[in-house]
Amino acid sequence: MNDDDELTAVLTRAGFSEYEAEAYLGLLRLHDASVGDLTDICSVPRARLYDVLRDLAADGYVETYEQDTLRARIPNVDRAVEELRDWADGFENAADELEDVWDRPSIEHTNISVFQTQAATIKKAIGYVNEADYVVQICASPAELLEMEEALTAVHERGVTVRIALNIDPASSSTADLPDMFSRIATEVRQCEANGPFVALVDGSIAVLGIDNELDGEYGLVVNDNTLTSLLHWFFQLQLWEPWDTLYSESVGHPETYVSVRQLIRDLEMLHTEDETVRVRVNGVDLRSHEMVEVEGEVVDVIYTDVYPTRDTTFAQQFIQAALRIRTDDGEYTVGGYGAVVEDIRAIEIDVIGIE
């Protein structure tokens, strides 16, 4: 391939037609030429050259004028050079973007969406709640809770565990009518006075965060990612759930269904002896295959780290490993909670099916 062929190919990739590229390069060599002159050095048919030159003139690449016959000239190559450089920069930027996209986590495993309004965020959360199979955990204001009432009622009727941290001002009387609907929408409700944001956690992998305040403005975040969702779970558990009083519970005392491994461990240590056998059913994610699994078996060991035995470290201990080892017909498995990494299964919910 000669230089003219290469230049023609480049110009056509930059947006010239093949005839325009040939005519432009021919005129570039002659500087000023008639249609007949150009016919002698390029392969564009004479009848087409008139239209081709007029099109090039309309785009600002050449100038045409009449002198016995149509003639054309190139006053300068600035326009074409500038467009070629822009075209090259575009390809270079595209190449950089390809590398950047390649370096990002796979969209199959990481998906983050941002919403501009609280209303859009709540609407998205309602959609995820409607699809819940196991557990829904929510921190919401009374108004937000009323907006979600229909969806929460539907999933609660399907047997989904629903934990609600009701974000209220303790001096407010706006919750007077809410207790009447607690039994329809929730497994447990606590009164949260932390003035936290709207949070919805669904089945362990979906998290919705809604912000609406004078300092940060209004926006929403939807996360479909195990690691980031685990962080929001800890925020919910430590800030919005654990410290607060219970307003309503379907079960007085210890519940039979747990969404917190640590809560289950605390109850087991208080309520059963070494002579008793505890059987559980675990719904969770296999950390090797990343698939949903259900296993049932006997609790044979409790794994947790107590590095501060003489101090009150309730908060610190939340971040130390806590897990169960259960024996099933297929072998033994270790079961951790949200954020589990080294265990076999990350539990979404655990049912205590028997203590004998």
Side-chain angles (χ1 to χ4, degrees):
M1 180 181 290
N2 60 37
D3 291 344
D4 284 353
D5 291 336
E6 290 181 357
L7 283 172
T8 299
V10 169
L11 288 173
T12 55
R13 290 167 65 188
F16 284 66
S17 71
E18 185 173 347
Y19 281 170
E20 288 173 342
E22 289 191 26
Y24 185 81
L25 290 176
L27 193 57
L28 193 64
R29 292 196 297 272
L30 296 175
H31 296 287
D32 187 318
S34 67
V35 170
D37 296 332
L38 283 173
T39 303
D40 293 336
I41 64 168
C42 69
S43 60
V44 181
R46 184 186 183 95
R48 292 295 309 277
L49 266 174
Y50 293 93
D51 291 334
V52 169
L53 291 174
R54 290 190 177 99
D55 289 341
L56 287 171
D59 291 335
Y61 296 113
V62 305
E63 293 178 350
T64 59
Y65 61 99
E66 298 284 343
Q67 186 176 321
D68 298 330
T69 184
L70 181 67
R71 298 184 65 87
R73 63 188 174 198
I74 298 179
N76 59 66
V77 295
D78 293 349
R79 174 70 184 276
V81 169
E82 180 181 351
E83 293 204 2
L84 285 176
R85 294 194 191 283
D86 289 343
W87 174 71
D89 289 342
F91 271 77
E92 185 173 355
N93 292 337
D96 291 340
E97 180 66 17
L98 287 177
E99 289 183 335
D100 182 58
V101 172
W102 173 254
D103 289 337
R104 295 174 193 167
S106 169
I107 197 169
E108 181 178 348
H109 300 296
T110 302
N111 187 7
I112 302 175
S113 303
V114 178
F115 293 86
Q116 295 184 354
T117 66
Q118 185 82 336
T121 305
I122 301 295
K123 182 177 180 181
K124 192 67 176 179
I126 290 173
Y128 281 120
V129 167
N130 278 321
E131 298 173 358
D133 293 317
Y134 302 104
V135 180
V136 172
Q137 300 181 90
I138 287 176
C139 178
S141 68
E144 292 162 348
L145 193 62
L146 289 170
E147 190 174 349
M148 301 185 73
E149 179 181 3
E150 183 177 349
L152 292 172
T153 299
V155 296
H156 184 246
E157 289 177 351
R158 294 206 316 264
V160 173
T161 299
V162 180
R163 303 166 85 198
I164 297 173
L166 188 57
N167 198 344
I168 58 176
D169 181 343
S172 172
S173 60
S174 61
T175 60
D177 297 330
L178 291 179
D180 294 337
M181 72 177 189
F182 286 164
S183 61
R184 299 195 307 273
I185 66 173
T187 307
E188 185 175 357
V189 180
R190 296 193 182 187
Q191 178 173 318
C192 173
E193 300 172 15
N195 194 28
F198 172 83
V199 176
L201 306 171
V202 180
D203 285 349
S205 61
I206 301 293
V208 181
L209 177 68
I211 304 294
D212 186 5
N213 59 54
E214 294 182 0
L215 180 63
D216 300 312
E218 183 178 1
Y219 67 92
L221 191 69
V222 176
V223 178
N224 184 356
D225 175 89
N226 291 332
T227 300
L228 294 177
T229 302
S230 295
L231 296 177
L232 286 173
H233 167 78
W234 287 121
F235 170 70
F236 179 89
Q237 193 73 23
L238 297 179
Q239 185 78 8
L240 308 177
W241 188 257
E242 290 282 358
W244 307 110
D245 294 332
T246 299
L247 294 177
Y248 166 81
S249 176
E250 285 186 347
S251 176
V252 178
H254 64 285
E256 294 184 348
T257 298
Y258 292 80
V259 296
S260 168
V261 170
R262 283 176 170 78
Q263 181 64 51
L264 174 55
I265 289 174
R266 288 196 292 266
D267 287 354
L268 289 179
E269 290 182 334
M270 289 189 299
L271 298 172
H272 92 289
T273 67
E274 293 182 358
D275 296 332
E276 292 174 324
T277 298
V278 179
R279 293 189 61 81
V280 297
R281 180 187 301 111
V282 178
N283 286 299
V285 178
D286 185 311
L287 293 179
R288 290 183 295 267
S289 67
H290 303 289
E291 295 180 351
M292 290 295 300
V293 294
E294 179 181 299
V295 296
E296 181 178 320
E298 173 190 348
V299 177
V300 294
D301 194 11
V302 172
I303 306 166
Y304 66 94
T305 306
D306 187 2
V307 296
Y308 304 111
T310 62
R311 294 167 52 190
D312 181 8
T313 55
T314 303
F315 180 83
Q317 287 175 347
Q318 294 289 341
F319 297 94
I320 300 171
Q321 183 187 13
L324 303 174
R325 179 176 286 109
I326 65 173
R327 181 182 296 127
T328 73
D329 294 337
D330 299 324
E332 292 189 358
Y333 298 89
T334 53
V335 178
Y338 285 84
V341 175
V342 298
E343 293 81 9
D344 299 315
I345 296 171
R346 178 173 60 83
I348 294 175
E349 68 172 8
I350 305 174
D351 294 319
V352 177
I353 57 178
I355 301 178
E356 302 174 355

